[in-house]
Amino acid sequence: MSSTSPLSTSTSAVTPSGTVLIRSAGDVSDLVNSGTARGRHAKMIVVIALGGIFLDAYDLSSLAYGLPDITKQFGLSSTMAGTVTASISVGSLLGALVGGWLVDRIGRYRVFMANMLFFVATALVCAVAQDVWTLIAARFVMGIGVGMDIPVAIAFLAEFSRLHGKGSKGSRTAAWSPAWYTATSGCYLVIMLLYFLLPDAQVGWLWRFTVGFGAVPALLVLLLRRRYMNESPTWAADQGDLEGAAKILRQSYGVDARVADDAPRTTSRPPRTGLGAYARLFTPPYRTRTIQSVAVGLAETFGYNAVAFGLPVIIATLMTQGPLTTIASSFTLNLVFALTGGLLGIRWASTRGAWPMMTLGFAIQLVAITVLALIGDPSGTAVVTAGILMLGAFMFAQGFGPGAHIMSYASLGFPTSMRGVSIGFNQAVLRLGSTLTLFFFPILSTGLGTHVYWVILAAPVLGLIALLSKRWEPIGFDADAEERTRSGTVAVKASTPGATAPTHR
């Protein structure tokens, strides 16, 4: 799969001793994009970024199975049960907006290090909550950490990866998907183990142990981050800190990078923008990309939250299965179908691109949900099995298609200077959709029964409409080079007597 990118404007050079001389932020970006800069710490940073996404998924899904027990313990109505489920999404909406802005304003590293504290503290508070409002408040604060983590984790995946080939930006941003499904499968594995270990009288406390266990991997990731994490070199260079960028390249990549003697010494730090930075998303050429990424993201999050997070409800209620079958089926569907699809999404990202995989994924989901809607109330082992296989087909398509590549659309079409706000805005809108889905799905599934599948069908339909309206391929596109080219064009024309700045189309 090839993609057209703006021409490189690199001015870096390699001395006979092997030292790489950098003169501009473009040199740093081109060095990372070319794949020349590689190193053990850079790979660990990618792994740790995926670890943050693992925690996001674990914390979001840890209450899915326990919701019936929570409802029983606290005597909740369906509306209050929806509030408990949706509280983390409300927090993550706020966290995504503020976190995306902070990622561009103060850097990736600081935000990355801070948000782990949210996970550790709130997981423990959730586990010991004695009333529903404490649980809701703790899940809300946990959501702020989740919302902050996604923009910074995806920014790291994009900015510590090459542009093309193995380990490319497209492959690594797609890697967030299997990390997510691994976490979801791990959550159900923890539930299954605890189900067998806990005495029958304590099974109602299963959700508390599951949520509290989330603090353990959070502490591990926090310790690894303190040892291996570093700032994004492209962000540092974009801030005018070429010396800092060169130092990061030496530490994380093992590249002997130095600032050239003839490099401009008056490189100024760009002004610190306020939340108005989000307005830039709706200026050319980013407006169309922003709208399309939000549209496919809403389709993905609506379908995923209804089906994937609703698996325990669907299997236990709509398919009338017992607790062990519900746990085992949810675990199998995530591990076998979703994770396999996610791994294929990584493999196919650089060769097939995001647009074809997204389109195929939504098409398969359209078929799967239609079949589930037509099955309705399953009766007999064969029909129940067919229904579970359709759920598996949905999850498999989610893994290699929409689930893998919504982050490609939200991040790779935008330069380093605005990547945080692009992901943050995208995630905030998606979290709003997620909040509404998580709140209303228990209500709709109770009221509509299997007819709820006809409502879920809107997700793949919206996704296909958004993709077919404009074929835009973000993988392999160099948004930083595009930004430099456009800035250079504006500067040249503005300095020409009688010239005016170009009109954007």
Side-chain angles (χ1 to χ4, degrees):
M1 188 275 300
S2 62
S3 180
T4 302
S5 296
L7 294 175
S8 172
T9 56
S10 176
T11 57
S12 62
V14 181
T15 67
S17 63
T19 299
V20 178
L21 302 178
I22 58 176
R23 295 179 173 82
S24 66
D27 292 342
V28 177
S29 176
D30 290 339
L31 191 63
V32 175
N33 286 344
S34 67
T36 302
R38 302 180 186 179
R40 181 170 60 89
H41 276 212
K43 292 178 180 178
M44 278 300 301
I45 289 172
V46 170
V47 171
I48 294 168
L50 292 173
I53 292 171
F54 178 98
L55 288 169
D56 297 344
Y58 183 94
D59 288 330
L60 281 169
S61 58
S62 57
L63 278 188
Y65 174 79
L67 189 59
D69 288 326
I70 293 171
T71 301
K72 182 178 179 180
Q73 285 182 23
F74 294 121
L76 305 181
S77 64
S78 59
T79 300
M80 282 302 296
T83 303
V84 171
T85 307
S87 59
I88 191 169
S89 293
V90 176
S92 65
L93 189 158
L94 177 63
L97 277 177
V98 176
W101 170 64
L102 287 175
V103 164
D104 287 341
R105 182 180 174 90
I106 67 174
R108 283 64 166 137
Y109 176 81
R110 292 176 182 175
V111 178
F112 217 29
M113 290 297 292
N115 61 14
M116 271 302 101
L117 298 176
F118 283 94
F119 294 122
V120 176
T122 55
L124 296 176
V125 172
C126 284
V128 299
Q130 296 302 304
D131 61 83
V132 67
W133 291 109
T134 300
L135 180 62
I136 290 172
R139 294 284 288 180
F140 172 77
V141 177
M142 179 184 286
I144 294 177
V146 170
M148 291 174 64
D149 195 67
I150 291 290
V152 69
I154 298 300
F156 267 125
L157 292 176
E159 293 165 17
F160 275 84
S161 307
R162 61 197 303 175
L163 191 61
H164 300 288
K166 185 179 180 181
S168 67
K169 297 178 188 296
S171 297
R172 284 181 172 170
T173 53
W176 88 282
S177 179
W180 190 280
Y181 301 130
T182 299
T184 307
S185 301
C187 182
Y188 285 116
L189 180 60
V190 170
I191 293 172
M192 190 180 300
L193 292 174
L194 290 172
Y195 179 83
F196 286 110
L197 291 174
L198 289 175
D200 291 341
Q202 302 298 323
V203 169
W205 284 49
L206 183 60
W207 68 270
R208 294 185 182 273
F209 289 100
T210 305
V211 173
F213 185 79
V216 176
L219 284 170
L220 178 61
V221 171
L222 184 61
L223 292 174
L224 288 173
R225 285 180 175 182
R226 290 182 61 86
R227 178 174 180 180
Y228 291 103
M229 288 305 291
N230 215 331
E231 185 55 80
S232 161
T234 53
W235 181 85
D238 197 60
Q239 298 298 298
D241 186 10
L242 292 181
E243 291 288 354
K247 182 179 180 181
I248 295 167
L249 289 170
R250 292 194 298 271
Q251 291 178 342
S252 294
Y253 288 95
V255 174
D256 186 15
R258 307 286 173 179
V259 179
D261 292 336
D262 60 345
R265 297 299 173 179
T266 58
T267 303
S268 60
R269 183 186 184 94
R272 288 178 174 264
T273 56
L275 290 176
Y278 285 97
R280 190 182 172 196
L281 295 172
F282 296 93
T283 61
Y286 307 116
R287 179 171 53 224
T288 303
R289 300 172 197 175
T290 298
I291 294 172
Q292 188 175 43
S293 69
V294 166
V296 296
L298 282 173
E300 183 275 342
T301 196
F302 174 43
Y304 179 75
N305 280 286
V307 175
F309 286 157
L311 276 179
V313 176
I314 291 173
I315 296 171
T317 305
L318 303 186
M319 294 186 175
T320 60
Q321 299 300 301
L324 185 57
T325 301
T326 299
I327 298 172
S329 298
S330 300
F331 171 73
T332 302
L333 288 169
N334 276 279
L335 183 65
V336 175
F337 290 95
L339 180 58
T340 301
L343 293 174
L344 289 174
I346 297 176
R347 184 178 181 87
W348 291 337
S350 295
T351 57
R352 289 169 171 79
W355 190 91
M357 293 296 97
M358 290 270 280
T359 304
L360 178 60
F362 278 128
I364 293 174
Q365 290 182 342
L366 180 65
V367 173
I369 295 300
T370 300
V371 172
L372 285 168
L374 293 173
I375 288 176
D377 293 315
S379 58
T381 303
V383 179
V384 170
T385 302
I388 291 177
L389 287 176
M390 286 299 100
L391 290 174
F394 182 98
M395 298 293 286
F396 178 73
Q398 175 77 10
F400 74 75
H405 295 300
I406 56 167
M407 293 303 179
S408 301
Y409 274 82
S411 62
L412 300 185
F414 304 87
T416 300
S417 61
M418 59 187 297
R419 184 166 288 125
V421 296
S422 69
I423 302 171
F425 176 78
N426 180 275
Q427 283 294 297
V429 177
L430 267 56
R431 297 302 182 185
L432 177 59
S434 175
T435 301
L436 295 175
T437 305
L438 292 174
F439 179 82
F440 285 110
F441 181 75
I443 300 173
L444 289 173
S445 62
T446 300
L448 297 176
T450 57
H451 291 298
V452 75
Y453 292 126
W454 294 113
V455 179
I456 299 173
L457 196 64
V461 171
L462 172 61
L464 287 171
I465 291 173
L467 289 169
L468 295 174
S469 63
K470 181 178 178 59
R471 180 162 184 160
W472 155 248
E473 181 54 66
I475 293 180
F477 186 81
D478 191 341
D480 285 315
E482 178 194 51
E483 182 184 46
R484 295 196 301 271
T485 300
R486 292 173 62 83
S487 298
T489 301
V490 171
V492 169
K493 290 193 175 185
S495 64
T496 302
T500 57
T503 302
H504 298 300
R505 290 179 291 176

